[in-house]
Amino acid sequence: MSKQHPEDKSFKDEVLGALKQPQSDQTQESNGLNERPIQQPQEEVGSRTASGKAKNKQAKQAATSRRAAEEEVPIAEGGETQLRKQQRKKEDRIVNRIVLIVVLALLVIGGVLGFSMYRYVTSGLQPLNPEDTETVAVEIPSGSSNKAIGEILEEDNIIKSGMIFNYYTKFNNLTGFQAGNYHFSPSMTLDQISKMLQKGEGSVISDAKVTIPEGFDVDQIGDALAEATNISKDDFLALMESDEFFEKMKETYPELLASAGDAQGVRYRLEGYLFPATYDYYTGNTLEEVVTQMVDKSNSVLSKYFDQIAQKEMTVQEVLTLASLVEKEGSKLEDRKNIAQVFFNRLAIDMPLQSDISILYALGEHKELVTYEDTQVDSPYNLYVHTGYGPGPFNNPSEAAIQAVLDPTPNNYYYFVADIQTQEVYFAETYEQHMQLVEQYVNNTSN
């Protein structure tokens, strides 16, 4: 009974081997060793069950390890994203601080500069030294611009800033300063100095006065200069034909002369820009200085109309061209404003202006009656043949004629005729009406 059978020992060894080497069993099972038809006792089932539980436990541990390993990657990636966001926020805070510092610095600098400029301007408007009443001799050359006068006064220690003086005179439309020798003191205000310059108080007596009547052309101005001074007409006309001198004037007065520089076929580029006025002439004045004085006067008068000219979509050249016609065609302001509108009405329908003034200028003559043959003269200035404004001004018009062009009286007239004896101007809407007026007031000798 106690003797063990070989089968019992073999079974025991298999059970112990299964417990010690579960992996070997797994390998064997995978290799098909369990396919042999071996009859096992009931106890083997329990051992296999224990082995299976161990296997399941290991499998679960392996699965858990894999999930943990898989979860580590997004956790690491999420950490990097969070770090980048934090770094970006930190950089944004630094940038914002830098921008704020720069803006504050600019505001401080701007405030300092603005305050400094304000003090500079206000100081420049005050007398250089209110306590110093001692006068200083100052020479203002003929043809000096407001800017040049300011520079002279600053150099002679009469005012604090020539630039402030220049802008002060522009903003207050102070023009007509006269050349000469003056006596100013550092205690004088800019207003007091300006009034003395306008009135010529304290200036020396000029050697001659040259009067340029309203409506004089370049040729007539040449005669006036030759008569009143030692300037020859030929020299004057040569200067009027000088492109080099015109460019010099254009550089000095760009807004005034820009359109004149663009004109084609003109006889004299400065025709219309030699303002009619009375000028002082001093022995020793050069021809260029005398002419510069006339151009400067035109600039002073026209500068206040530059904006209005631009609003009418016209050029200075066009305004002066029509003004030169209006100057000669009518003498009363009311007539001039109606005549200006007649010209605008004709220009609107591309109708020739047909002004006798244009024919006389083309002919280079000055006479009262214009013949039909005269109207056929071959010249770009012939506005009987050519439409539009023509090359440029026909004379040097007055400010009143300029104002008439800039502010014409609205009407529907296309014709006008003047009674030579009475200087009355009659207007008509149709050619038939016009011819009746011509017959009545021009051809009828009984009037």
Side-chain angles (χ1 to χ4, degrees):
M1 295 292 292
S2 60
K3 186 178 180 178
Q4 294 180 345
H5 296 282
E7 293 83 354
D8 294 336
K9 183 178 180 180
S10 174
F11 176 74
K12 184 178 179 180
D13 293 338
E14 289 181 4
V15 171
L16 293 173
L19 292 173
K20 294 179 180 178
Q21 298 178 352
Q23 293 180 350
S24 299
D25 290 343
Q26 289 178 358
T27 305
Q28 291 175 355
E29 286 176 1
S30 64
N31 293 332
L33 295 178
N34 60 346
E35 292 180 359
R36 288 180 293 177
I38 299 176
Q39 185 176 359
Q40 301 291 345
Q42 184 66 34
E43 288 80 1
E44 186 177 357
V45 176
S47 65
R48 290 182 179 178
T49 302
S51 176
K53 289 181 179 179
K55 293 177 184 178
N56 291 337
K57 183 176 181 180
Q58 291 176 351
K60 289 180 180 179
Q61 290 176 348
T64 302
S65 298
R66 284 195 300 272
R67 285 194 299 272
E70 291 174 353
E71 290 174 355
E72 286 178 359
V73 175
I75 290 173
E77 293 178 352
E80 292 179 0
T81 303
Q82 187 66 21
L83 288 174
R84 285 196 297 270
K85 289 182 178 179
Q86 293 176 353
Q87 183 67 21
R88 189 177 298 112
K89 289 181 179 179
K90 184 178 179 180
E91 292 174 353
D92 291 342
R93 286 196 296 270
I94 294 173
V95 171
N96 289 338
R97 289 175 182 174
I98 293 174
V99 172
L100 179 60
I101 292 172
V102 171
V103 171
L104 290 175
L106 290 176
L107 289 175
V108 172
I109 294 172
V112 172
L113 290 176
F115 181 71
S116 299
M117 181 58 68
Y118 171 77
R119 290 193 62 184
Y120 174 76
V121 173
T122 54
S123 176
L125 293 172
Q126 302 302 318
L128 178 64
N129 185 354
E131 305 300 327
D132 186 359
T133 58
E134 182 177 354
T135 61
V136 177
V138 179
E139 180 182 359
I140 305 298
S142 177
S144 298
S145 64
N146 291 6
K147 180 180 178 181
I149 293 174
E151 292 174 351
I152 293 171
L153 293 173
E154 181 179 357
E155 291 175 0
D156 290 343
N157 295 318
I158 301 300
I159 61 176
K160 293 181 179 179
S161 170
M163 181 180 69
I164 298 298
F165 176 84
N166 182 36
Y167 283 111
Y168 175 82
T169 57
K170 285 185 177 181
F171 291 150
N172 290 280
N173 292 322
L174 299 176
T175 60
F177 293 159
Q178 299 184 37
N181 292 322
Y182 293 83
H183 287 83
F184 299 120
S185 71
S187 63
M188 296 178 67
T189 64
L190 298 186
D191 185 61
Q192 291 173 326
I193 295 172
S194 298
K195 288 181 178 179
M196 285 185 65
L197 289 169
Q198 285 180 317
K199 296 178 180 179
E201 294 179 356
S203 63
V204 298
I205 299 175
S206 60
D207 296 308
K209 289 188 178 293
V210 181
T211 299
I212 309 300
E214 298 170 346
F216 259 34
D217 60 25
V218 164
D219 187 74
Q220 292 171 310
I221 293 175
D223 291 331
L225 283 173
E227 183 179 348
T229 70
N230 59 0
I231 296 174
S232 72
K233 180 178 179 179
D234 290 340
D235 290 343
F236 172 73
L237 294 180
L239 186 65
M240 292 297 97
E241 294 174 347
S242 171
D243 291 334
E244 181 180 355
F245 179 70
F246 175 80
E247 290 301 324
K248 180 180 178 181
M249 290 293 95
K250 182 181 174 183
E251 184 177 350
T252 305
Y253 308 101
E255 195 166 4
L256 176 71
L257 297 174
S259 55
D262 296 333
Q264 300 295 322
V266 294
R267 184 180 298 171
Y268 303 114
R269 289 200 178 277
L270 288 178
E271 185 78 87
Y273 297 89
L274 308 177
F275 197 80
T278 298
Y279 299 94
D280 291 322
Y281 174 79
Y282 300 89
T283 301
N285 284 158
T286 66
L287 174 57
E288 289 192 8
E289 289 175 342
V290 173
V291 174
T292 299
Q293 190 177 2
M294 299 178 186
V295 177
D296 182 72
K297 180 66 174 179
S298 287
N299 187 69
S300 298
V301 172
L302 280 164
S303 59
K304 57 179 174 286
Y305 299 113
F306 285 154
D307 290 340
Q308 190 176 354
I309 292 172
Q311 290 172 3
K312 291 180 71 68
E313 297 183 351
M314 297 179 69
T315 65
V316 176
Q317 184 85 342
E318 290 171 344
V319 170
L320 290 177
T321 297
L322 290 187
S324 67
L325 296 177
V326 169
E327 180 72 49
K328 291 289 190 177
E329 295 283 11
S331 57
K332 299 178 182 178
L333 178 60
E334 181 181 356
D335 291 336
R336 287 178 168 179
K337 297 180 71 171
N338 273 309
I339 291 171
Q341 186 60 51
V342 170
F343 289 143
F344 282 123
N345 293 342
R346 286 188 168 222
L347 289 169
I349 62 173
D350 203 29
M351 180 180 180
L353 297 185
Q354 295 182 321
S355 171
D356 290 353
I357 307 305
S358 70
I359 301 300
L360 295 175
Y361 191 82
L363 293 171
E365 300 179 9
H366 300 91
K367 57 183 181 179
E368 291 185 356
L369 296 179
V370 173
T371 65
Y372 174 79
E373 183 180 358
D374 292 336
T375 62
Q376 303 305 304
V377 60
D378 182 15
S379 170
Y381 285 96
N382 184 346
L383 298 188
Y384 268 80
V385 175
H386 302 290
T387 58
Y389 293 88
F394 303 90
N395 55 60
N396 296 273
S398 64
E399 184 174 5
I402 295 170
Q403 291 173 339
V405 171
L406 294 176
D407 186 27
T409 299
N411 61 54
N412 297 319
Y413 301 132
Y414 289 90
Y415 303 90
F416 65 88
V417 62
D419 187 324
I420 298 177
Q421 295 180 352
T422 65
Q423 299 300 311
E424 291 291 332
V425 181
Y426 303 94
F427 298 88
E429 295 184 16
T430 67
Y431 182 71
E432 290 74 14
Q433 295 173 347
H434 173 64
M435 292 309 298
Q436 291 177 2
L437 293 173
V438 170
E439 184 65 25
Q440 181 176 356
Y441 295 105
V442 178
N443 296 338
N444 192 340
T445 58
S446 63
N447 287 330

